Amino acid sequence: MVDLSSIEQIEDESALNKMLNEATEFDERRAIRKRLLELKELKSKQRAKEMEEREKRMQNEIEERKQRKEDEKKQEMQRLEELGKTSTADRIENEAGKKRQDFIKEKYQAAEEEKKKNMENFEKMAKENKNEESEKNSKTNAPTSLSSSKIQKPTMNSAQSKNSSASAFALFQNKDKEAGGTGKGTMTQTAPASPNSPQTIKDNLLKWCQQRTEGYPNVNIQNFSSSWADGMAFCALIHSAVPETFDFSKLNPKNRKGNFNLAFKVAEDKCDISPLLEVEDMLMMGNKPDWKCVFTYVQSIYRKLELEPKARAAKNNEN
């Protein structure tokens, strides 16, 4: 005999199946089977209810997404309408102009510090090269007598060197004003090329970039503005120093944001180069980024990849 007094409270199918196996009477087995059917029907209703609730939740989520997209579309349409009410010049002034001004203000101090360091390094290299040339010339043209004019000659060279340095600095200031649109060039004569003149420094740095990136596809460095607009030149320059960090052949010039992100991150993480440029600012400046910003950042790359390794090597050789 099976105790069926509390069968209506049993909700465990395994317990009912066990009772069914133990039952011997027909009525007992029929009562147990009835309870099993009731449980199955109850669970089936519960599952149907859960599915219905899940479908409702999914439907609600779909409706919410649709509503969000509609709201975003309306906002975009309103923004475009507002833009349509303003002229092109106003849009440039209100959006790009303000962002660019903010960018220049934020980076000015860091850029000035980098510029100062790089100018000192370039001037040091120029002086070393000049001293080496002077020594070679003095060995080749050894003086036969110590006349007063030849004794005074080094003093004349020293004065010329000071004048050259001062004129170079003035030329650099003029070019800086011209690039920023706040002044006009007033020099009517071309200053003589000297190792530490701004133009010579700029040309040498451009030549160094061209040599480092020679053979890289989609890279053609001709200036410090448009040649860097798609980020490929930055990637090539950094890749030449740490080629194991990424596969350059997979880069696409159309993916400007990805290229800038990659180059600036690897430069900072692997080469310890300060991030003087921001990705959003480069994107905002379009196909002609500010040459001063690019030039200053490339100078910092040159210092880390070229000058500092040479200085360390020279120090090791001395030791």
Side-chain angles (χ1 to χ4, degrees):
M1 292 286 293
V2 176
D3 184 11
L4 302 178
S5 59
S6 59
I7 193 171
E8 296 297 330
Q9 283 75 38
I10 299 176
E11 296 182 354
D12 186 359
E13 289 188 20
S14 60
L16 290 172
N17 287 324
K18 184 178 179 181
M19 292 173 61
L20 184 63
N21 292 332
E22 294 176 354
T24 56
E25 298 292 332
F26 176 77
D27 292 337
E28 292 176 347
R29 296 174 65 85
R30 183 174 62 181
I32 295 171
R33 288 196 188 95
K34 180 181 178 183
R35 181 56 183 167
L36 281 169
L37 290 173
E38 290 175 352
L39 280 179
K40 289 180 179 179
E41 190 175 325
L42 182 61
K43 289 184 178 181
S44 177
K45 289 180 179 179
Q46 289 177 346
R47 283 195 297 269
K49 185 178 180 181
E50 291 174 356
M51 290 179 64
E52 184 179 355
E53 291 176 351
R54 187 162 54 248
E55 288 178 358
K56 285 183 178 180
R57 286 197 300 270
M58 291 176 63
Q59 189 64 32
N60 290 335
E61 290 177 359
I62 292 172
E63 292 296 330
E64 288 177 358
R65 284 198 293 269
K66 285 182 178 179
Q67 187 61 42
R68 281 199 299 269
K69 287 183 179 180
E70 288 295 328
D71 294 340
E72 291 173 359
K73 188 176 180 180
K74 288 179 180 179
Q75 292 175 359
E76 182 66 15
M77 289 297 294
Q78 291 175 355
R79 189 182 70 83
L80 292 175
E81 288 177 1
E82 291 296 327
L83 286 175
K85 294 177 182 178
T86 59
S87 64
T88 303
D90 290 336
R91 290 200 298 273
I92 293 173
E93 182 179 359
N94 294 336
E95 294 181 3
K98 288 182 179 179
K99 287 184 178 179
R100 185 173 179 177
Q101 288 176 1
D102 292 340
F103 164 72
I104 292 173
K105 287 179 181 178
E106 290 175 0
K107 299 301 179 183
Y108 180 78
Q109 185 175 0
E112 285 297 315
E113 291 176 358
E114 285 290 330
K115 187 191 296 182
K116 184 178 178 181
K117 290 180 182 177
N118 291 328
M119 286 294 291
E120 290 175 354
N121 289 327
F122 278 120
E123 289 177 0
K124 184 179 179 181
M125 289 180 64
K127 288 180 182 177
E128 291 175 355
N129 292 334
K130 189 175 181 180
N131 291 335
E132 290 177 1
E133 291 177 2
S134 298
E135 290 177 1
K136 289 180 181 177
N137 292 334
S138 64
K139 290 180 181 178
T140 304
N141 302 318
T144 58
S145 65
L146 297 175
S147 64
S148 60
S149 62
K150 288 186 178 180
I151 292 174
Q152 294 175 357
K153 194 171 183 179
T155 306
M156 291 173 63
N157 288 337
S158 176
Q160 289 175 355
S161 176
K162 290 181 180 179
N163 291 335
S164 175
S165 177
S167 64
F169 182 72
L171 178 61
F172 188 88
Q173 286 182 322
N174 285 336
K175 286 185 175 293
D176 194 48
K177 290 180 180 179
E178 290 173 8
T182 58
K184 296 181 179 179
T186 57
M187 298 183 67
T188 57
Q189 296 181 351
T190 304
S194 62
N196 59 343
S197 70
Q199 188 59 43
T200 302
I201 292 171
K202 192 175 176 182
D203 292 342
N204 288 340
L205 186 60
L206 189 67
K207 191 177 296 183
W208 177 78
C209 293
Q210 292 169 344
Q211 292 173 350
R212 292 284 297 213
T213 60
E214 184 178 2
Y216 278 87
N218 299 312
V219 177
N220 183 19
I221 300 176
Q222 299 298 325
N223 52 53
F224 287 105
S225 182
S226 58
S227 297
W228 307 80
D230 59 7
M232 295 293 287
F234 289 115
C235 289
L237 203 56
I238 299 302
H239 186 268
S240 68
V242 283
E244 73 282 357
T245 53
F246 60 91
D247 187 354
F248 186 87
S249 63
K250 294 182 179 180
L251 302 184
N252 186 346
K254 294 181 180 180
N255 185 15
R256 297 176 61 219
K257 185 174 183 179
N259 295 338
F260 290 133
N261 272 321
L262 177 64
F264 298 163
K265 180 172 176 54
V266 174
E268 183 178 11
D269 294 346
K270 300 296 183 181
C271 304
D272 193 27
I273 298 172
S274 301
L276 300 180
L277 294 179
E278 296 288 346
V279 174
E280 295 302 325
D281 295 319
M282 289 298 294
L283 294 174
M284 177 269 296
M285 286 188 280
N287 293 328
K288 289 186 178 180
D290 190 331
W291 77 269
K292 291 184 294 182
C293 299
V294 175
F295 178 72
T296 301
Y297 183 59
V298 174
Q299 277 185 315
S300 66
I301 296 176
Y302 175 80
R303 183 163 57 85
K304 285 292 183 181
L305 301 188
E306 191 75 15
L307 296 183
E308 290 186 3
K310 283 185 178 180
R312 287 194 295 268
K315 188 175 181 180
N316 292 334
N317 291 333
E318 291 177 358
N319 296 334

